[in-house]
Each structure stands twice: as structure tokens, then as C-alpha cells.
Amino acid sequence: MNKSIRKAAVIGAGIMGSGIAAHLANVGIQCLLLDRVPQVLTDDEVRKGYTLDHPVVRNRFATGAVEKLSKSTPSPLYDITFAERITPGNLEDHLSQIADADWVIEVVVENLQVKKDLLSKVERYWKPGMIVSSNTSGISIHEMVADCSEAFQRHFLGTHFFNPPRYMKLLEIIPGPLTDPAIVQQMRTLGEKVLGKGVVLAKDTPNFIANRIGTYGLLITLQAMVEQGFTVEEVDAVTGPAMGRPKSATFRTLDLVGLDTFIHVAENVYANVTDEMEKAAFTVPEVMSSMVQKGWLGEKSGQGFYLKKKGVGGSEILSLQLTTLDYVPQKKMTSGSLEAAKLAKGARAKTKALITAGDRYSEFAWNILKQVLIYSAEKVGEIADSINEIDEAMKWGFNWELGPFETWDAIGLVKSVGRMEKEGLNVPRWVKEWIAKGNQSFYQKENGTLYYVSEQSYKQVEQPTEIISLRSLKEQNKIVKGNEGASLIDLGDGVACLEFHSPNNAIGADILMMIQHSLEEVRSNFEGLIIANQGRNFCVGANIMLLLMEAQDEEWDEIDSIIRMFQNTMYKVKRFEKPVVAAPHRMTLGGGVEACLPADQVIAAAETYYGLVEFGVGLIPAGGGCKELTMRASQHVGYTDTDLQPYINHIFETIGMAKVSTSGHDAKRLGYLRSSDRIIANQDHLIYEAKQSVLRMSKAGYEPIPQEKIQVVGSEGKAVLQLGALGMRESGFISDHDLLIAKKLAHILAGGDVPAGTLVSEQYMLDLEREAFLSLCGEPKTQQRMHHMLTKGKALRN
């Protein structure tokens, strides 16, 4: 029962099935991907002389799906080479091969009879211990296997991934009435630790948790919109970030999901509930049915509630008028409530500001929100055992910042229930009884521990050991030192964590000072240090605004001082006598990468987008980035006795093109991460894993990294690099200013004008970095690039 999952089989090679297979491959699980046998030859197959019996033809659907994985954007794969872990096949020739799998996942069409027939065939090859699951988005788990053996049913459950499987955090696990609890726990552990998912246990009810609540919310929004005469863009302005929801809000979300898919999900609830009011709520509006009949399915058909139209002045996004089904130019939405929400900080404050402002949009927001809250409360016990699982499902599956019960707390539980009852709504009895006991909220926090209401008393939210919350630790007064930019937090067991918390976690003097203070504190009182945070992104780089201001004021000594401080701080980290582990996640750019490079080990989230991007703002890495990558190349050739130039060429291209990894694994391919660095699928486990790494190194008797010389390619290698850059300029790929920056970068990476093979010191390389950085800061075109990035949020090629 505790056997690990090493091999899997996915049956169904559509978008969802191939996406699940890709994510299994991402985490190292070998996967068999099966689909139907084609009944008709393609024109290309006819030209090649194939028949319907040819293996290439018979495997076409699965093979084609695997090929698409490497071409899709965003990629379902952490690394395109991981597609090699997927073996394509077909259901007629290869179904027997599932007998070798530890886990078989059914991902075929959402039709109960089709699933029943397939699972009866799967059972023929089933063996004790094999887990079988369905990725259905709402069909009854019990009914699928009602005709199968009891032993098979004990090993069967629902595993509902959200699309796209790599990027969406939610995994709903749905046990059947006979599913072995040990298997449920095994799959939960696999989902969290291996697949990196947020797992919730759902009841075997129509559409489970997230789709049940989410579909209801979208439908009542549509119904209210039609009744009250709101436009598509008005609704999206209200139901997006102003309400703590994604920018896709209501109608962009529907376009992304696909109207046909959404209608299928809604009709599944309609057909399987008996309450007439609930049936009415899940009745699909006529306008959506009309759109589907026209083939306006959303993004996959090119138009839905929005249409992107190319014109003389460029592309324009039009919105649909529901009354006429005409596309019209969008209007910018503004109102007191929307402005109040925009100015408020955090989802809790935004939602409260939105619904209390009292204007037309505020009333609309309240009218849809109150229904979602009441519906969610009605479904506690029916779709999930706890309010916490409902909240987590909505956050992980629909990217809400707050779940429904967290939202209810944010707007004021007692006051909002009073308003609901005054407006004639029926608030569930258990909510009113909870309030009658004197309770003011569904959640309560004491000494960093979170509790939620369960059966009229507070129950502790159970967190896996692998989840360490920096916020909770700070609430428990575990801050050792701190300033505006960063804090040093005691994680326990002799390990401290340096947390960045400046705006966008951009590195400035305050963070650098805290790194130095942290090293002093750890030297005296801790076993080692972690550099990590739990912000939206790890670090977007250095403080460009500060640099631009200093450059415009020609404060060259000040810039020189800042860069020296950055270099010296990172050097101290590298030579520190106790282990240092960096744990980056998501956007980790420029100075954020340079803050990780000196660490003894980097433990990165799989979703880490890592790159030295200074070239995009007219600069070069000067916090040790160039030096560190050059040193790694020097060390590698020292061990292998190979030519250094190709490695320097690669670094030159990576930095010069400001390449950013598409994942933690891609960061290894680019050379930003070492083979000894680790990738963790579950971002929530990063700090725990980094802490364990520090403790292991400390226990093993940590020795600081010794100083060593760096072999460089010198003037000859520099000429090679500059010749490549000149060729790109002559071909029109780069500008004159790009060429100038490239020449300075080549000078640094080559080690200056010394003979090839010269051994230089780290300080020598740092001096080259700093000199080039300072000279570029004085260039007007570099200052233009910095200003453009600050104002437009994207690189300027001037």
C-alpha cells in the first residue's frame, strides 16, 4: 500500500490527458499515454502509403499529443526533454501494458457510459495494489465502477486535476464509498509532495467542490447582469481584482475555459440535483446557448465574450453586447466603488471597500457575492466536510485570493448576515447558530495557529510538517532582527531565515544591510541561514528607480558605493563559515539571482523564472553574477580539462540575451543552477526543504568554500565574443547600444585584456563588473531603458 508511484498510464490523450501525462513526466514518473485508434487516414498518411494498420497511424492521437507538448506555450513540461518519459500507444494494441503501471488515470470524454465501459476493460488487467482513478470534473465516482469488483472499487477514486495540470495548484481527491482510506492518504501525499499540488478531499457529488461553487458564482453573475443591464466589461471590472479575483474576472475566465465546456459542467449539476431553486440557478442563460450554436466558444474558437480584431492602428479587443450579440469597443470603467477598491490594500480591504461604497457597481458586487456566500454555507457537509477545504479549493482552483468563508470574515460576518436577512435571504441555520453563540468570524488565529468553525466549535487547521509559514512565525514574535526591507526570522532547530519584504522584494541598501546583520547573528546564535520569502515573487532585481535617480543626478560615487556594498555582501555570504541555502520561487531576476548564486545550495521551486536580465535595462550584472558564472565555467574545465571558450560563449549568450528560465529545471539547462541544486514541485515546501538542507550540512561538519583563482579566456576569447556580437549588429538583430553593452560584457567574461589561461582573483572580476556598470549608468540610452522599464514595465530596444 505504501509503494511509491513509479509508472503511470493515462488513458485519453486530449488536452487534459496529455497535460496530466506531461506533469507526471515533470516529476519523474514514467508514463504510458493511450488513445483511440484512428478510423480515417490523413492526407499525409495517404501520401506516405500507410494503411490503417500501420503502427504510426494506430498511435497517431497519442503520438501527436506528445509532439504538441514540446511546442505548446506556456509549456506543460518543465523541460522539453521530459517528453521522453511519455510512451504513446493505443487502446487496442497496448491496453495490456497498463498491468505494469502503479497508477492508471482515466481521462476520456465526460460520459458515464463511456467511462464505465473503459473501466471494465481496465479491470481485466488490474492487479492488487494498482491504483485506478478518474479525472472527471463532476461525474459520480461510485456510478463509474458500480459494476466492478469490490477489490477494484477499493483501489478506485477520483483525482480531478485543474487545467492546465502543470500550473493549476488544485487537485481534488474524491473517494468512492468503498475506497480504501490508506489509498486516499497515499494519493494525498503523492499530490502534495511529488506533484506539488494543493489537495482537498471532496464528496462524490456533482462537480465536487470548486466547479460546484465556481459554476454557481459565474451563472448567478450572468443572471444578475442580464436582469440589471450591465455590460461585459462592467461585470469584469467588478468581479476581478476589485473583488479579490483574478484579472480574468468573469467573462475572460469563461472565454479561457470554453463556453461549451462550461455549459457541460453546468448541465451536469442541473441534471443531478433535485432542489428546484438550485436547478434554476444552474440553468444556462439563453445567450450562452446562442453563442455556442454560432461557434463562439471563447479563445479556442477565436471569439467569445471578447473578440480580438486587427485594425490599421493595431489590435483592438472588442466586447460582446449580450442584447444584440454585436461586438463593440470597450469602455473604461470607473466609479467610486472601483476606485475605493483599487486604493485599498489587500483582497480583504478591497472586497470590503467595493461592497460598502453604495454606488451601482457596489450594489451589483454585493448582490452576487451574498448569493455565493450563502450557497457555499449551504453546501458545507454536502460537497466537503469543512469550510477550510471549500476555501482552499476556490483559491487553488479558481485563483480567488480569498475563499468564500474568508471573504465573509473580511466583510464582517455578523454585519453582513444582518444585511442579508434584512433583504429577505435565508441564511443557513448553522451560520446563525454560530453567531448566536457570540462568535464574530468563521476563522480565528491564536499564537500563529489558525482555527476554523467545525460543528459549532473551533477546530485547528491541520498543516503538513512541510509547510512553514513565515507570517505565522512573525505573529509568534520570532523576528530576530529587521528593517523596512528584510527580516531575520527564527525557524527553530538552530536555523534562521532572511525574508525580503521591500516593494516587489527589490534589493536595496536596506536588504543588503540586513543580510550583513543576519550573518553576524547567525555566526553567534544559529547553525545556518536560509534566504527565502513567501511573497508573490522571490525578487525582481535591484532597485532600478534608485539607480536611475542617482545616475540622472550624476552621483557616481553613490552608485559605486551601492555596487561595492552589493558585491561585498554577496562575497561575505559565499565565504560565510556556516551553511547558507537560497530558496527562490517564481520571478527571480537580476539581483535576485545574484543573491542566490553565492549560496552553498539553491533549492528552487519548480515554477521559478530565473535570469540575469540587466541587459534589458542597458546594464550588466554587477553583484557578482558575471564573476560567479565565469568561476563555475573555470571550475568545470579544471575538472574535465576541456576548452573554456564554449562555456564562456554560452554565458555571454545567456546574459546578453537576458534569458529567463521557464522553470527551475530550465534554469539548470541555462546554467544558472548547478547539478547539486534541487528543484521542489511544491512551492509551499521550499522553506522546510531548505531548512533540512542547512541542518544536513551543519551536521556533516560544514566547511566554508575556499578561495580560488578563476581561469579566463583573456583577450583572444574576448575577440571571439565581440566578433559574435558584431555579426549580430551587422545582421540587424541588435542595436548600436546593445553592441556597446555586449562589448563591455565580453570584456568582463573574458577577464579583460590578459593572456588566455590567466588565473585571476574574484575581486579582479568584481572590479571589472563594477567599472562596466558605472560607465553604462552614465549612458543616456541606458537611462532611457531604465525609465522605460519603470514606466512601461517592459524592455526598450534603443
Side-chain angles (χ1 to χ4, degrees):
M1 200 68 68
N2 293 318
K3 181 178 69 173
S4 61
I5 304 293
R6 299 183 183 278
K7 292 184 179 179
V10 176
I11 303 177
I15 291 174
M16 199 67 199
S18 62
I20 291 172
H23 195 56
L24 297 180
N26 282 337
V27 298
I29 297 174
Q30 296 291 324
C31 191
L32 176 67
L33 180 63
L34 305 180
D35 208 302
R36 295 166 295 122
V37 173
Q39 300 300 306
V40 180
L41 292 170
T42 65
D43 292 342
D44 184 55
E45 289 166 346
V46 171
R47 282 194 298 273
K48 290 178 178 177
Y50 292 163
T51 67
L52 288 172
D53 293 328
H54 194 286
V56 170
V57 176
R58 294 177 71 79
N59 293 342
R60 185 211 307 155
F61 292 137
T63 302
V66 175
E67 289 172 352
K68 285 179 184 176
L69 293 176
S70 301
K71 301 172 185 175
S72 299
T73 305
S75 177
L77 296 161
Y78 291 153
D79 187 301
I80 58 172
T81 63
F82 292 174
E84 297 168 5
R85 298 170 179 171
I86 305 172
T87 303
N90 69 75
L91 282 166
E92 292 180 17
D93 302 328
H94 306 114
L95 186 61
S96 62
Q97 293 181 18
I98 69 172
D100 295 327
D102 304 306
W103 178 20
V104 176
I105 314 165
E106 169 276 306
V107 200
V108 298
V109 64
E110 287 286 84
N111 177 288
L112 177 60
Q113 193 56 52
V114 171
K115 291 179 183 293
K116 286 172 69 81
D117 292 345
L118 174 63
L119 290 167
S120 68
K121 293 176 184 176
V122 169
E123 188 173 17
R124 296 174 197 167
Y125 303 102
W126 180 80
K127 58 186 179 183
M130 178 194 292
I131 297 170
V132 182
S133 71
S134 170
N135 184 62
T136 178
S137 59
I139 294 176
S140 170
I141 299 301
H142 169 63
E143 289 183 27
M144 278 188 221
V145 290
D147 300 329
C148 295
S149 68
E150 187 174 311
F152 187 84
Q153 291 187 50
R154 283 200 298 272
H155 290 75
F156 183 76
L157 71 167
T159 51
H160 181 211
F161 290 82
F162 274 60
N163 193 33
R166 169 184 165 180
Y167 297 97
M168 292 302 291
K169 189 174 178 68
L170 181 61
L171 173 61
E172 291 178 322
I173 289 181
I174 311 100
L178 298 180
T179 308
D180 186 335
I183 285 177
V184 174
Q185 185 55 48
Q186 181 182 353
M187 295 306 289
R188 179 165 205 155
T189 301
L190 176 84
E192 292 172 349
K193 292 189 177 182
V194 180
L195 300 176
K197 298 300 174 188
V199 178
V200 297
L201 292 184
K203 304 274 192 174
D204 189 8
T205 54
N207 289 18
F208 314 129
I209 302 174
N211 276 343
R212 183 74 168 269
I213 302 292
T215 304
Y216 175 85
L218 288 166
L219 284 169
I220 61 109
T221 300
L222 268 166
Q223 291 159 8
M225 168 195 182
V226 172
E227 290 170 8
Q228 298 170 39
F230 283 88
T231 65
V232 164
E233 58 262 47
E234 282 180 316
V235 172
D236 273 359
V238 172
T239 59
M243 198 183 276
R245 309 282 172 81
K247 289 181 180 178
S248 56
T250 297
F251 293 107
R252 292 188 194 281
T253 296
L254 286 168
D255 278 355
L256 286 167
V257 169
L259 273 67
D260 52 342
T261 302
F262 177 78
I263 287 175
H264 175 81
V265 172
E267 288 178 340
N268 186 55
V269 180
Y270 181 90
N272 288 285
V273 296
T274 56
D275 182 84
E276 289 304 316
M277 288 186 67
E278 191 167 10
K279 273 187 176 292
F282 281 90
T283 301
V284 175
E286 188 177 327
V287 66
M288 287 189 75
S289 300
S290 299
M291 290 172 68
V292 171
Q293 288 171 10
K294 288 175 176 288
W296 299 355
L297 306 180
E299 284 210 351
K300 59 186 172 185
S301 67
Q303 67 186 102
F305 288 102
Y306 290 97
L307 169 66
K308 190 173 185 179
K309 188 176 182 180
K310 290 185 178 179
V312 179
S315 296
E316 181 184 14
I317 298 177
L318 307 177
S319 62
L320 187 69
Q321 279 191 318
L322 299 194
T323 51
T324 63
L325 291 187
D326 293 325
Y327 288 98
V328 297
Q330 294 184 73
K331 295 178 182 177
K332 185 173 176 61
M333 298 299 113
T334 183
S335 75
S337 59
L338 293 177
E339 286 303 309
K342 188 176 181 180
L343 291 171
K345 290 188 176 181
R348 296 174 184 276
K350 286 180 182 296
T351 307
K352 190 171 184 177
L354 177 66
I355 67 163
T356 56
D359 62 16
R360 181 169 173 259
Y361 293 142
S362 180
E363 286 299 315
F364 180 75
W366 166 250
N367 286 334
I368 57 177
L369 183 61
K370 66 186 181 184
Q371 294 182 72
V372 172
L373 300 182
I374 288 176
Y375 186 74
S376 300
E378 289 173 344
K379 296 303 155 190
V380 176
E382 180 184 336
I383 64 174
D385 282 331
S386 75
I387 67 165
N388 186 240
E389 283 179 309
I390 293 174
D391 278 348
E392 298 288 37
M394 297 315 300
K395 290 188 290 184
W396 294 335
F398 277 74
N399 290 322
W400 291 7
E401 288 193 54
L402 301 173
F405 297 97
E406 291 172 323
T407 300
W408 216 332
D409 280 356
I411 64 174
L413 173 60
V414 177
K415 188 174 181 179
S416 61
V417 166
R419 184 177 175 184
M420 290 171 184
E421 292 190 309
K422 188 176 179 180
E423 294 172 4
L425 275 72
N426 292 318
V427 177
R429 180 185 295 176
W430 75 266
V431 175
K432 292 192 286 187
E433 289 176 350
W434 180 245
I435 293 172
K437 285 185 171 184
N439 296 296
Q440 302 284 316
S441 62
F442 291 119
Y443 288 92
Q444 180 174 294
K445 186 170 270 191
E446 291 181 5
N447 298 320
T449 301
L450 188 63
Y451 299 85
Y452 67 94
V453 58
S454 176
E455 298 179 348
Q456 296 299 309
S457 64
Y458 277 120
K459 181 178 180 180
Q460 184 177 334
V461 174
E462 294 183 12
Q463 289 282 27
T465 306
E466 292 82 6
I467 295 180
I468 295 174
S469 168
L470 295 182
R471 176 182 290 181
S472 292
L473 289 169
K474 287 189 286 187
E475 289 169 353
Q476 296 170 52
N477 298 315
K478 297 294 185 180
I479 296 178
V480 181
K481 288 179 178 290
N483 62 23
E484 289 187 6
S487 295
L488 184 68
I489 302 167
D490 186 351
L491 299 182
D493 302 317
V495 180
C497 176
L498 178 70
E499 175 201 34
F500 301 164
H501 46 66
S502 65
N504 291 318
N505 289 345
I507 294 177
D510 49 2
I511 286 181
L512 296 174
M513 286 297 297
M514 266 309 302
I515 293 175
Q516 295 195 24
H517 290 326
S518 296
L519 294 177
E520 293 169 9
E521 186 68 33
V522 170
R523 179 178 288 115
S524 302
N525 300 310
F526 291 89
E527 297 296 316
L529 176 69
I530 293 168
I531 301 175
N533 64 71
Q534 292 172 327
R536 188 181 297 275
N537 296 302
F538 177 78
C539 177
V540 297
N543 189 330
I544 300 174
M545 174 68 81
L546 175 63
L547 281 171
L548 179 59
M549 289 171 61
E550 299 289 6
Q552 289 175 334
D553 292 340
E554 299 186 357
E555 295 286 355
W556 310 124
D557 288 344
E558 189 62 32
I559 295 176
D560 182 73
S561 175
I562 292 169
I563 300 306
R564 283 181 187 275
M565 184 180 185
F566 196 176
Q567 292 181 341
N568 292 340
T569 302
M570 294 303 103
Y571 188 82
K572 287 178 180 179
V573 170
K574 182 163 187 175
R575 299 285 173 242
F576 192 53
E577 59 266 34
K578 294 187 177 182
V580 178
V581 174
H585 65 277
R586 299 192 68 80
M587 300 304 293
T588 303
L589 305 176
V593 173
E594 290 178 304
C596 296
L597 288 173
D600 296 291
Q601 186 176 38
V602 174
I603 297 185
E607 299 301 341
T608 299
Y609 317 123
Y610 202 79
L612 293 169
V613 295
E614 288 84 352
F615 209 99
V617 289
L619 298 168
I620 50 89
C626 296
K627 180 262 294 183
E628 282 296 318
L629 295 187
T630 305
M631 174 174 268
R632 290 180 186 181
S634 171
Q635 290 170 337
H636 180 75
V637 300
Y639 300 143
T640 59
D641 195 28
T642 54
D643 184 11
L644 178 59
Q645 188 70 49
Y647 296 96
I648 300 301
N649 293 349
H650 175 75
I651 296 167
F652 182 66
E653 179 183 317
T654 301
I655 297 176
M657 296 182 71
K659 291 185 178 180
V660 177
S661 73
T662 56
S663 68
H665 293 277
D666 192 45
K668 283 195 172 186
R669 180 188 66 82
L670 289 172
Y672 288 130
L673 295 180
R674 301 157 292 196
S675 59
S676 57
D677 294 327
R678 291 176 57 207
I679 313 297
I680 303 297
N682 195 325
Q683 183 177 309
D684 294 339
H685 295 182
L686 267 187
I687 292 177
Y688 172 84
E689 293 293 342
K691 178 181 176 182
Q692 301 312 305
S693 179
V694 165
L695 292 173
R696 279 193 295 271
M697 283 190 270
S698 178
K699 187 177 180 181
Y702 177 78
E703 292 289 338
I705 298 171
Q707 293 187 23
E708 63 178 284
K709 296 287 187 177
I710 303 170
Q711 183 187 159
V712 295
V713 293
S715 54
E716 293 176 18
K718 172 181 167 181
V720 171
L721 299 177
Q722 292 188 343
L723 186 62
L726 187 60
M728 291 187 72
R729 177 67 193 103
E730 290 175 349
S731 302
F733 289 112
I734 63 175
S735 68
D736 286 337
H737 192 54
D738 289 326
L739 180 60
L740 172 67
I741 307 165
K743 285 181 176 180
K744 290 183 181 293
L745 178 62
H747 184 72
I748 300 165
L749 296 179
D753 296 316
V754 297
T758 300
L759 296 176
V760 301
S761 69
E762 290 183 66
Q763 188 58 55
Y764 172 84
M765 294 293 289
L766 291 173
D767 290 342
L768 293 180
E769 285 186 3
R770 193 177 65 260
E771 289 163 7
F773 190 93
L774 278 166
S775 67
L776 287 169
C777 282
E779 293 287 338
K781 288 189 175 181
T782 284
Q783 293 179 20
Q784 289 170 13
R785 289 190 181 192
M786 287 194 277
H787 184 266
H788 193 270
M789 179 62 72
L790 288 168
T791 55
K792 305 291 185 181
K794 56 184 179 182
L796 171 68
R797 288 297 180 195
N798 55 354

